[in-house]
């Protein structure tokens, strides 16, 4: 087994017999150690006491009186959210089921960071047996926004946060300058010659994915999406990249991000998207479901298209939750 993404927290979780992730005290303690929940120097005694009790017993019941005793209103709100989040994770049989339930109930009011963290650790479990660094690097796109650049007839994806985090470095590398970001000294395009380095650097998120390279980063992303669907829904699918769409019958599609959803909706309505919008499409895929998976009548015997597009600001922000709610499944039951 290859080791990567220790920062996901997957080592803090247990596995059920079917492979799903089980919440543990250690996993909850990692949330309690977040800066938002560590009592600051000016915290009141009630907040410090609550934090201490939860660090001792992370799954204990917390009364409304314990929250109400906290003096600072913002701190009380933080604790109410965190305990509600904890309870949602604990109530589900697996972390995958918790994530699916959260997505289907609506994510209004949930910080994107919390959803990204769940995707990170669920994907880590989904990729447990994968030894292809291109697929694992591509999977980063599902929980970390990417900066996009076109260069020498290809498309490069670099971690947006990593680029922004190096603004203080004044010794710009040519590659980072080309990507439109600040300087960094450890920025490499993932290639066969340096692919083995990925495993040691996986938690740095500092390797660039070439969507059109050899091997194809676009195909690798399709494989990452396949592993995600299997971990969430419990069945395998085939996902193949397309150069162009020959079948104009957009009977069913899933936008992998907000921009792609807008483009797909226009195509589905028979409208021609603007050339500027089409120029921002970074990838097209077809997804084939297993024959024994029941689908809605509208999607039977028709391809499911997946669309990926960057924003006008050249950022790619995938929404893996769209593969939870957007597939044409006739049943909503999860395998996990």
């Amino acid at each position: 087994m290859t080791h990567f993404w220790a920062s996901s927290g997957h080592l803090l979780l247990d596995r059920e017999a079917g492979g799903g992730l089980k919440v543990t005290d250690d996993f909850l303690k990692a949330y309690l150690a977040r800066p938002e929940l560590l009592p600051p120097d000016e915290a009141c005694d009630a907040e410090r006491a609550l934090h201490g009790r939860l660090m001792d017993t992370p799954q204990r019941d917390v009364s409304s009186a314990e929250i109400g005793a906290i003096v600072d209103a913002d701190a009380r709100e933080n604790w109410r959210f965190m305990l509600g989040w904890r309870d949602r994770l604990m109530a589900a049989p697996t972390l995958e089921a918790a994530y699916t339930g959260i997505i289907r109930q609506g994510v209004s009011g949930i910080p994107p960071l919390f959803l990204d963290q769940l995707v990170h650790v669920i994907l880590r479990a989904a990729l447990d047996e994968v030894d292809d660094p291109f697929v694992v690097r591509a999977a980063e796109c599902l929980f970390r926004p990417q900066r996009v650049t076109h260069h020498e007839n290809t498309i490069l994806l670099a971690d947006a946060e990593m680029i922004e985090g190096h603004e203080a470095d004044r010794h710009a590398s040519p590659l980072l300058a080309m990507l439109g970001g600040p300087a960094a000294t450890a920025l490499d395009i993932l290639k066969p010659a340096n692919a083995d380095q990925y495993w040691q650097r996986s938690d740095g998120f500092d390797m660039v994915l070439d969507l059109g390279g050899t091997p194809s980063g676009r195909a690798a992303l399709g494989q990452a999406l396949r592993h995600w669907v299997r971990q969430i829904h419990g069945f395998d699918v085939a996902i193949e990249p397309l150069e162009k769409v020959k079948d104009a019958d957009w009977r069913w599609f899933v936008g992998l991000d907000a921009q792609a959803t807008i483009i797909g909706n226009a195509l589905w309505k028979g409208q021609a998207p603007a050339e500027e919008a089409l120029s921002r499409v970074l990838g097209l895929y077809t997804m084939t479901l297993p024959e024994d998976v029941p689908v809605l009548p509208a999607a039977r015997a028709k391809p499911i298209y997946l669309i990926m597009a960057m924003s006008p600001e050249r950022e790619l922000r995938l929404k893996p939750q769209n593969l939870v709610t957007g597939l044409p499944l006739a049943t909503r039951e999860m395998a996990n």
Side-chain angles (χ1 to χ4, degrees):
M1 182 186 300
T2 305
H3 297 286
F4 61 95
W5 292 358
S7 60
S8 69
H10 73 105
L11 295 175
L12 304 177
L13 292 161
D14 291 334
R15 293 286 188 97
E16 66 160 13
L21 299 171
K22 301 283 290 183
V23 173
T24 65
D25 283 353
D26 286 340
F27 186 73
L28 295 175
K29 286 181 181 180
Y31 274 107
L32 293 168
R34 290 188 56 80
E36 299 90 338
L37 289 177
L38 282 175
D41 293 341
E42 65 274 16
C44 67
D45 291 341
E47 183 177 1
R48 292 182 183 280
L50 174 59
H51 187 270
R53 288 193 292 269
L54 284 168
M55 286 298 288
D56 288 337
T57 314
Q59 300 188 46
R60 70 181 294 273
D61 291 334
V62 176
S63 69
S64 57
E66 290 178 277
I67 300 296
I70 297 174
V71 174
D72 184 78
D74 289 338
R76 290 197 300 272
E77 187 62 26
N78 284 344
W79 279 105
R80 288 192 183 100
F81 171 81
M82 180 55 205
L83 290 168
W85 180 258
R86 179 202 67 166
D87 292 346
R88 294 174 82 170
L89 299 186
M90 289 169 47
T94 65
L95 207 58
E96 292 88 345
Y99 175 81
T100 301
I102 289 166
I103 295 303
R104 289 176 177 161
Q105 293 166 19
V107 299
S108 177
I110 298 177
L113 174 63
F114 280 74
L115 296 176
D116 289 342
Q117 288 173 336
L118 286 187
V119 173
H120 189 185
V121 71
I122 292 170
L123 259 177
R124 177 58 184 80
L127 299 171
D128 211 22
E129 303 299 326
V130 173
D131 59 4
D132 185 339
F134 290 89
V135 173
V136 179
R137 168 57 184 93
E140 293 177 17
C141 301
L142 276 71
F143 60 92
R144 293 186 69 86
Q146 303 290 304
R147 183 79 60 83
V148 183
T149 190
H150 290 77
H151 176 67
E152 296 182 352
N153 298 317
T154 192
I155 299 172
L156 301 178
L157 303 183
D159 189 86
E161 182 179 333
M162 185 281 300
I163 292 178
E164 295 167 1
H166 286 77
E167 290 181 350
D169 190 341
R170 300 296 182 228
H171 303 288
S173 71
L175 177 58
L176 194 52
M178 177 188 68
L179 289 166
T185 58
L187 189 66
D188 298 307
I189 299 175
L190 184 64
K191 298 179 179 180
N194 63 10
D196 285 344
Q197 297 178 21
Y198 176 81
W199 307 115
Q200 290 75 37
R201 297 168 58 170
S202 66
D203 284 302
F205 307 109
D206 62 355
M207 299 194 83
V208 178
L209 182 68
D210 184 350
L211 285 183
T214 303
S216 167
R218 194 173 281 110
L221 181 55
Q223 290 302 303
L225 294 170
R226 180 176 70 86
H227 288 290
W228 169 252
V229 170
R230 184 175 59 191
Q231 190 71 17
I232 290 294
H233 292 290
F235 54 75
D236 207 356
V237 298
I239 298 179
E240 299 293 337
L242 295 175
E243 291 298 325
K244 59 182 179 180
V245 178
K246 297 179 181 179
D247 180 1
D249 184 3
W250 286 81
R251 191 68 61 89
W252 203 277
F253 80 94
V254 177
L256 297 175
D257 55 86
Q259 301 295 320
T261 299
I262 294 171
I263 294 170
N265 282 335
L267 292 169
W268 183 73
K269 295 175 183 177
Q271 303 170 355
E275 285 299 321
E276 186 277 334
L278 289 177
S279 71
R280 293 191 278 105
V281 174
L282 301 178
L284 291 168
Y285 299 87
T286 56
M287 173 190 286
T288 304
L289 300 177
E291 292 183 358
D292 60 347
V293 172
V295 300
L296 299 174
R300 287 175 187 161
K302 291 293 182 179
I304 300 170
Y305 292 110
L306 309 180
I307 313 172
M308 178 175 71
M310 66 179 176
S311 71
E313 296 75 30
R314 308 185 69 81
E315 184 173 84
L316 175 65
R317 186 180 291 271
L318 295 186
K319 300 178 68 176
Q321 61 264 42
N322 290 0
L323 289 170
V324 174
T325 58
L327 296 185
L329 303 180
T331 175
R332 294 295 184 181
E333 292 181 2
M334 283 186 59
N336 287 322

